[in-house]
Amino acid sequence: MKTEPIHLAAQLAVNVRDARSLLVTFGVLGVGLVMFAETGLLLGFFLPGDSLLFTAGLLCTDGSERSVHLELGPLLLAAAVGALAGAQCGYAIGRKGGRALLARSRSKRLHEGAQRAEELLKRYGYAKAIVLARFIPVVRP
């Protein structure tokens, strides 16, 4: 009898750092939410975005009996909408509060980095900066 409540509690608990746990609990909606949080919110950096997408893709394939099966179309839509909405939200947060947070900081290194980033944006333009920051991981901070 003691194993049933523990087993039930283990099923109800969600490990946000485990892709399979997120997919079993939230499904396609979870993929969209994780992509939103990872791309747009400061607190989403610890979420398993890449491994979540890989695992979700595997769960879309026809294979052996699984507890979860996802459809590819809704999964792609949720991932794209979550990532794009998150990017826009992150931009809005940075646009509204970025200068205020930078002004509060006493870090000389942070101020130098912000100044360097502004100079590079003026020199090379925003289009190249967006492409480099989005698709070349070495350039991203």
Side-chain angles (χ1 to χ4, degrees):
M1 283 288 199
K2 290 183 180 181
T3 59
E4 290 180 24
I6 294 172
H7 182 65
L8 180 62
Q11 287 179 343
L12 294 176
V14 177
N15 181 359
V16 295
R17 295 178 60 199
D18 179 34
R20 184 149 174 46
S21 176
L22 284 167
L23 289 170
V24 167
T25 306
F26 298 111
V28 172
L29 180 63
V31 172
L33 292 174
V34 167
M35 296 306 297
F36 176 83
E38 194 176 52
T39 58
L41 305 177
L42 295 174
L43 57 104
F45 67 91
F46 66 91
L47 295 172
D50 295 342
S51 60
L52 180 72
L53 289 175
F54 183 78
T55 305
L58 287 176
L59 291 175
C60 287
T61 62
D62 291 331
S64 63
E65 293 294 319
R66 294 189 191 104
S67 59
V68 177
H69 177 75
L70 302 175
E71 295 296 324
L72 184 61
L75 174 67
L76 292 173
L77 183 65
V81 168
L84 291 171
Q88 293 304 309
C89 180
Y91 174 79
I93 290 170
R95 179 89 177 181
K96 294 281 186 187
R99 296 278 180 201
L101 287 175
L102 186 61
R104 285 183 172 178
S105 176
R106 296 179 185 166
S107 171
K108 182 179 177 183
R109 185 174 176 196
L110 182 63
H111 286 281
E112 289 172 354
Q115 181 64 33
R116 183 171 173 252
E118 287 180 6
E119 290 170 1
L120 289 173
L121 283 172
K122 287 178 185 174
R123 182 173 175 187
Y124 295 110
Y126 289 92
K128 284 184 184 178
I130 290 170
V131 170
L132 289 173
R134 190 44 107 184
F135 298 111
I136 301 176
V138 176
V139 177
R140 287 192 271 175

